Amino acid sequence: MSVLVNKNSRIIVQGFTGKEGTFHAEQMIAYGTPVVGGVTPGKGGTSHLGLPVYNTVSDAVQKGAADTSIIFVPPAFAADAIMEAAEAGIKVIVCITEGIPVQDMVKAKAYIEDKDVVLIGPNCPGVITPDEAKVGIMPGFVFKKGRIGIVSKSGTLTYEAADQVVKAGFGISTAIGIGGDPIIGTTTKEAVQMLMNDPETDAIIMIGEIGGNLEARAAEYIKEHGTKPVVGFIAGQTAPAGRKMGHAGAIVGGHDDTAAAKMKIMAACGIHVVNSPAQIGSTLAGVMKK
Amino acid sequence: MNLHEYQGKELLKSYGVAIQEGIVATTIEDAVAAYDNISARTNNKFVVIKAQIHAGGRGKGGGVKVVKSVDEAKEKAGQILGMMLKTPQTPGGMDGEGKLVRKVLVAEDSYVPSFDACKEFYVSVLMDREKKCNVIIYSTEGGMDIEKVAEETPELVHKEWIDPELGLQGFQTRKIAFNLGLSGKAFKAMELFIRQLYKAFLGSDAALFEINPCLVTGDERVVAVDCKVTLDENGLYRHPDLEALRDTDEEDATEVEARNFDLNYVKLDGNVGCMVNGAGLAMATMDIIKLSGGEPANFLDVGGTANAERVENAFRIILKDPNVKAILINIFGGIVRCDRVAQGVIDAYKNIGNINVPIIVRLQGTNADIAKKMIDDSGLKVLSAIELQEAADRVKAVLS
């Protein structure tokens, strides 16, 4: 089981032959991820890293039976790459690219809305189901196999959380980096929902940050439908209003999207909220003992 | 990226949006010449002089004056140019030190000759994160703080969401004009205004347009009297002409320098500097500093590579802040190995030479143990840590 990606996924890399695409495709393959090829327009028919290169995602789906795609295309072309993958029939798209213009994502999001596809990201570290598939840029060794799901807007903070989970004596079922942009394909709530429904996940770590209302929506869902304990953290308690903290979406705009407001809602909805990011692992251990 | 009012108006005008016309001036002489030009062109002695800084509420601090003669224009322009303008939005608010005014916009007075017949509205365009599409927000209550209007009289704030695939439709511009209570010539003018405004928004990859007030004049024209324009940084590569409008005088000098080093840095008011890889972990590190009894002096994401050069640049940026009493470096080495980062920290430290504040280095991930030993054996005044809690405790110890 697990969610989104596993050992039976058939994964292609969009932007396969570029520098980033090549580096991370190598890392993914070394991890044991089932990568079946890649797409670089104009290089179709050649091979790269011992795998076939296709001109279009459509070719990769038809000739390579691809069902999952990871995107390493530069920002100017990434929204187009997302739409191409969705149109070709890819079921799970993971877009790593950071810096996509917001209006491009408004269009891409609307385009994929009525298609049978899940988009993760953009501006995210990807998704990993340990020992099965690493569809992302995360360091695989941090994520030991286990039964804790992780949902996070951040990259390195996800690795931090995974590391604490493992050191607390647990492991990861699937970790989903949903991304830090204002418009992302899969919301915190949707990712939490997937993990709630996953029989191989016992508890969830939910990491958010300032800006937007995704965490509040997820918290309301957890209150209504949650069946597993959730440990939550919101980064940016000390961030000033109106300033963008690295991620394009990490900006306090009003009273509802501060870290304090989000943590309050999460706690009220039964989430085990930690004030310190150093206490994610120990809090999980405490929750799981009960 | 924010534009000045005069730059925003030029952008709007290039898309056919009617604006309050004006001329920008950096000296009193230019301002006086602009007064003559504007008053002759409008056949009207009333002219407005407006301070150009990146902050709203300029009128509250004396940054906007209506003048009715050349002498008065000279006097007021002299007062505004070079003043430290305090507004509720400048750093520290009305009690802060304010922002230096380097430019004024000398503009026509759109309210004459029939002041009483003018109506002030509010119009803004932005992306609604929840609905994942653009929205036009508008209200009959222009010229005031829209957040206050939304709080006290939410029924007076209307929203019109735009379908990303179909774009702004005719029924929507009609609805807006009807809801604003317009008819006749003003109705048509408002429809055109909204249509062109939305075209400008899409065409410039804007993140926010705020027209407040949006004025319906006595002769039923619709003009943007003020405008706040924020552009999407990620879209700027498509608009080199707009990127060229960036006014670094309006930004923190250290932040500008950090951007030239390709470092993501935001200056804050605290006493503990930090250097982190990844934006989320950087915010979490700021939070850890606070929980350890300090206040973060900055946000700084060094990015994925964190090599010696980047670490050195980051050190130099952080050390420019005299309030910094300690620095916490927090790197989660994933694909980048911790021993490489440790070497980078050691090299950077040695290159800079006289660092007089305690430094705590927390390296976690690949080869964290080797990295810790390298730091410990370096002979530098640097404290090492592997676990995040350990790093937090070290910060606490250093501060107490």
Side-chain angles (χ1 to χ4, degrees), chain A residues 26-216:
Chain A
E26 278 175 338
Q27 300 275 327
M28 284 162 57
I29 294 164
Y31 185 80
T33 307
V35 178
V36 300
V39 174
T40 298
K43 292 194 179 169
T46 62
S47 91
H48 183 60
L49 308 178
L51 294 168
V53 181
Y54 303 97
N55 276 327
T56 64
V57 180
S58 189
D59 279 353
V61 171
Q62 277 158 25
K63 298 175 191 161
D67 60 13
T68 303
S69 171
I70 180 165
I71 296 175
F72 290 103
V73 166
F77 313 106
D80 182 71
I82 291 169
M83 293 189 280
E84 181 184 359
E87 196 273 337
I90 291 286
K91 299 295 172 218
V92 176
I93 304 170
V94 177
C95 185
I96 305 297
T97 309
E98 177 174 6
I100 303 177
V102 175
Q103 293 302 326
D104 287 10
M105 274 313 297
V106 169
K107 266 189 232 154
K109 177 78 183 167
Y111 182 81
I112 66 170
E113 199 73 346
D114 57 354
K115 296 187 172 54
D116 178 24
V117 62
V118 175
L119 169 67
I120 304 291
N123 190 11
C124 78
V127 182
I128 184 169
T129 298
D131 297 350
E132 296 195 37
K134 171 174 111 91
V135 188
I137 57 172
M138 62 287 276
F141 71 91
V142 177
F143 297 78
K144 300 280 186 301
K145 184 91 188 157
R147 301 185 59 85
I148 308 298
I150 300 179
V151 175
S152 168
K153 274 184 179 171
S154 153
T156 44
L157 188 53
T158 311
Y159 317 158
E160 174 71 45
D163 185 60
Q164 288 184 33
V165 166
V166 169
K167 283 184 177 140
F170 302 90
I172 315 300
S173 53
T174 299
I176 309 168
I178 60 169
D181 270 3
I183 291 191
I184 49 176
T186 298
T187 62
T188 312
K189 179 193 139 184
E190 288 161 345
V192 165
Q193 203 169 356
M194 289 174 198
L195 293 167
M196 283 288 178
N197 294 331
D198 173 31
E200 292 185 358
T201 297
D202 291 339
I204 298 166
I205 308 280
M206 176 178 134
I207 296 170
E209 56 194 35
I210 52 168
N213 63 2
L214 296 186
E215 296 84 0

Side-chain angles (χ1 to χ4, degrees), chain B residues 293-323:
Chain B
E295 289 287 343
N298 64 276
F299 167 95
L300 197 161
D301 176 5
V302 283
T305 44
N307 58 30
E309 192 193 346
R310 291 181 68 81
V311 171
E312 185 174 331
N313 289 337
F315 261 131
R316 291 190 191 278
I317 294 286
I318 294 172
L319 288 167
K320 279 191 190 262
D321 181 350
N323 297 328

Side-chain angles (χ1 to χ4, degrees), chain A residues 200-286:
Chain A
E200 292 185 358
T201 297
D202 291 339
I204 298 166
I205 308 280
M206 176 178 134
I207 296 170
E209 56 194 35
I210 52 168
N213 63 2
L214 296 186
E215 296 84 0
R217 291 285 170 276
E220 286 156 11
Y221 165 82
I222 290 163
K223 188 183 177 186
E224 283 291 310
H225 306 287
T227 50
K228 300 167 186 178
V230 180
V231 174
F233 172 71
I234 300 289
Q237 296 167 61
T238 48
R243 296 301 308 269
K244 194 167 66 188
M245 297 284 119
H247 287 153
I251 178 165
V252 169
H255 303 301
D256 308 331
D257 60 353
T258 63
K262 292 186 185 203
M263 290 162 88
K264 197 175 158 197
I265 293 173
M266 285 160 62
C269 290
I271 296 172
H272 304 273
V273 178
V274 296
N275 288 321
S276 164
Q279 283 156 13
I280 295 168
S282 55
T283 306
L284 175 73

Side-chain angles (χ1 to χ4, degrees), chain B residues 216-238:
Chain B
V216 174
T217 62
D219 55 353
E220 299 193 83
R221 290 176 299 119
V222 175
V223 293
V225 171
D226 192 5
C227 76
K228 180 178 179 189
V229 172
T230 306
L231 303 173
D232 175 11
E233 300 270 352
N234 290 346
L236 284 176
Y237 75 88
R238 289 198 274 242

Side-chain angles (χ1 to χ4, degrees), chain B residues 134-263:
Chain B
N134 299 322
V135 61
I136 298 174
I137 303 177
Y138 61 102
S139 174
T140 48
E141 307 306 290
M144 344 210 302
D145 179 2
I146 193 70
E147 266 126 41
K148 214 170 159 199
V149 177
E151 216 166 273
E152 290 165 6
T153 47
E155 69 280 4
L156 296 178
V157 178
H158 306 278
K159 291 182 179 181
E160 198 62 37
W161 286 276
I162 320 297
D163 185 300
E165 288 169 300
L166 300 176
L168 181 66
Q169 300 298 304
F171 74 88
Q172 296 183 294
T173 55
R174 283 201 302 279
K175 198 160 119 194
I176 291 169
F178 275 123
N179 282 340
L180 290 173
L182 300 172
S183 59
K185 195 180 154 208
F187 185 99
K188 287 283 168 210
M190 182 59 81
E191 275 205 288
L192 179 66
F193 185 90
I194 298 288
R195 256 198 319 275
Q196 299 314 111
L197 188 68
Y198 191 65
K199 267 187 204 149
F201 183 82
L202 291 183
S204 60
D205 272 290
L208 171 72
F209 275 3
E210 190 173 48
I211 315 298
N212 190 23
C214 166
L215 192 75
V216 174
T217 62
D219 55 353
E220 299 193 83
R221 290 176 299 119
V222 175
V223 293
V225 171
D226 192 5
C227 76
K228 180 178 179 189
V229 172
T230 306
L231 303 173
D232 175 11
E233 300 270 352
N234 290 346
L236 284 176
Y237 75 88
R238 289 198 274 242
H239 310 284
D241 53 328
L242 296 176
E243 175 140 41
L245 299 178
R246 190 189 290 278
D247 184 354
T248 49
D249 284 341
E250 290 290 322
E251 300 174 28
D252 180 274
T254 319
E255 289 182 12
V256 173
E257 197 181 340
R259 190 170 55 233
N260 293 337
F261 285 137
D262 200 21
L263 295 168

